[in-house]
Amino acid sequence: MIDAEIISSDTLRHTPAGIPALALTLKHESQQEQAGKLSTVQFEMPAMAYGVVAMELAEVHPGERVTFKGFMNRKNRFSDAPILHITEFKTLN
Amino acid sequence: MTPARVSIGPVVQIALDVPLDQCFDFLAPGATAQDIGQLAVVPFGKRKTTGVILGVANTSTLDPAQLKPVDRVMRDVPAFAPRDLALMRFLAGYYQHPLGQVLMSCLPPALRNERAPVAVAALVTRHVALSPAGEAFDAASLPTRAIAQRRVLQALQVRPETRAALVVSIPGAAQALKALTQKGLVKMDVVAPTIPDPLDAASTLSPALIPAQSTAVNRIRENLDRFRTFLLFGITGSGKSEVYLQSVAACLARGRQALILVPEVHLTPQLAARFRIRFPGVHMAVLHSHAASRERLKDWLAAQAGHARIVLGTRLAVTTPMPELGLIIVDEEHDTSFKQQEGLRYSARDAAVYRGSLAACPVVLGSATPSLESWRNAQPDGESDGRYELLTLPERAVPGAKLPAVRVINSAHEPQNEGLGGTLIAALKQRLARREQSLVFINRRGFAPALVCAQCAWMPECGHCSARMVFHRGQSPNRPDHPGRLHCHHCGETRPVPTHCGDCGSVELAPLGRGTQRVEETLAGLFPAARVARLDRDAARAKGVATRIFAEAAAGDVDILVGTQMLSKGHDFPNLTLVGVLNADDAMFSADFRAPERLFAQLVQVAGRAGRAGLPGEVLIQTRFPTHPLYAAVCAQDYPGFAKLQDDERRLAGLPPHAALALLRVEGRKPGEAMKAAKAAATLARALTEARGKVHIHDALPAALAKKGGWERAQVLVQSPSRTALHRLLAPWRAVLAAELPRQVRWALDVDPMEV
């Protein structure tokens, strides 16, 4: 589970089989305890969504804060860099 | 008692459409030698079948008690002439195919069954005219009761009529016609009485020839009454068609028929139109497999009766009976479609040459990139001694039109936008600005030749063939209900695109590589204002689409044409100045020894589409092997140089045209079965050749496509420097194969195979 802001999303595309697919970039900012003190955490990460989730996420405007649930996988067989696969989300505020 | 010695009345020997090299004897009371070549219906096993009478005798080697009578000799269907039968016998012997099957496959489908007489009768329009005696006859001298006869004669004095028209307008005309025919006053014929053409169409419309064209036409004209084979080697746009047209005119003027063979069904309407314009009063038959059955029968009958003076068609037209054949033309003679790949595996080009020798008429083989076999035959060196006469058209026929400038672009050195490099994109942009047309050639249909899993590299394969499935985009790719399908280009199987990887389950299946659909989409994205049209076998499947696209392109209503080799032949787009070639390298990886020859021909053909009408043309070939000698020859557009290189290589390797080949193709359902049978076949061939030598039997190998449509495929190649030695092996080999190979394997001998 992660709270983040969608900072950009590609246009909705479809896989060859016709499954909707959406690529997005998420930005996370929070305060986390580190060795007894609060520390500012911030990072950007790539994410993917497929199917109904992709269609719903395509309606969410960039800048909105959202809670995401999903799993991590490598980007593809040429890159081991991680990417978040979103399986559920909920807009905050 | 020996049955053969006793006369038992007429016995006919009939070739049937069965895979056996023999004729079957039937009793046929009343049959005479006149019936040879005639179709007959006979009982065969439990069914009835149709065959061709090849002989009439008074005895049979069979027990007369076992002989069955023929059901019917179809005398109302025209018979094969002896010269046609000779051609069929040659095809059967040379291509190792049962004669009965050759004969039946050469008939239009409507004549292959016992309903043939009905089909023929339905087509025949009987034309009625006065005979010379009838013209001199005074109708008033007929008995007063013969009202109908008098009215028929009066009608015919005005003008000839069809029988049907007379029967409708004059009561009792049918009886009257019978009586008048018996009196010799009218003649009934299947052909309309010829109305002489007031204008000598051929000479008034023919454009002036450039010197090379005149020389070619003159040489053909001088040889119209003897067998001679000409190789008309003319660069693209050099006006080969005009040479054909004027040679045909000369042939027609001598009162003989002309046969013109073309490679593609799609090209036939265009060439047919040119012939119709040039010879407006001449009856022309157009024969190809896409023609409706009735039309094909009608044209075939017209050719056989000698009414059709010009017969134009694809390879199947080569056997059309033509009693007054006086000239054969094979356009694009190098084209692989002239070789049939199933059943009777004949080469229509080679059959045409043989047919010319039977008919004692010239044969003209035309091409910008002749097959190496024909080129070799036209070399006046000691090896082939100029068996064919070479006629060369070295320049373009339109004044000022030059061959396009051909350039090779190293695609490894440029960033690619979906397979299109910067140089090509800039050139396309320039043509759009100048309102000129471009052609982007890619010899792959579909959207992408494969789908690949982004996570694990799994690719969907056809279960029945050893091949990947090709991804074809649907009509509206962004609608989830129309995503597209996977097609197998070998067996034709299609299935929905899988939603998930068959191995790791990921949904990211990505198109790999590109085909015409993808290039079309990319171009539409790059140039939103441009009118992009795609032409390949898929687009042309709907009737009339190909014709419409060609017409739109010719009218200037298309800016960029994307397509496969369908676009590369025989079309004249005056405003087309740029040709871009993608993925040419694919053909370089083929193991087939003719792959370079085919690639060269294809590139020269497609390059030849640019700059035909005076505007300078440019051709850009994208490749990762820019220094390959093949591309150097294409850039120089030097066919003779390329042919010399290939010919030398083939001589060293002992390959055609310096050797003769035959390929045994074996297919089996069960794993390993085909290979086992192929190995056995190779052993049998070796046993047959041991004593004779000169023929090399290669080891059995899996075919290039090891499995197709659920059949495993293996092959045995036999090779010999001597065609005669090779053919001495083939007939006995075929006989032992028929006896020895297990019944469940399918096999066929392919003589002079196109692909090995």
Side-chain angles (χ1 to χ4, degrees), chain B residues 6 80 95 104 126 155 221 240 269 282 330 361 380 395 407 425 469 499 558 589 619 713 718 747:
Chain B
V6 180
F80 278 108
Y95 292 107
M104 293 316 272
R126 283 176 207 282
R221 217 180 260 164
K240 288 187 287 292
V282 178
V330 184
C361 77
E395 53 194 275
R407 247 194 323 146
I425 292 173
M469 297 290 275
T499 51
V558 173
F589 301 112
V619 180
R713 305 172 356 132
V718 297
W747 58 273

Side-chain angles (χ1 to χ4, degrees), chain A residues 12-21 48 50 55 73-79 83 85, chain B residues 451-457 471 477-478 480 483-484 497-500 507-511:
Chain A
L12 188 75
R13 62 179 180 90
H14 294 85
T15 69
I19 298 176
M48 282 301 305
Y50 294 96
M55 291 199 286
N73 193 1
R74 66 175 178 183
K75 225 169 176 171
N76 55 48
R77 64 188 191 280
F78 303 113
S79 163
I83 182 168
H85 285 250
Chain B
L451 285 183
V452 60
C453 170
Q455 288 295 338
C456 74
F471 174 51
N478 287 325
V497 180
T499 51
H500 296 77
V507 294
E508 273 296 355
L509 292 172

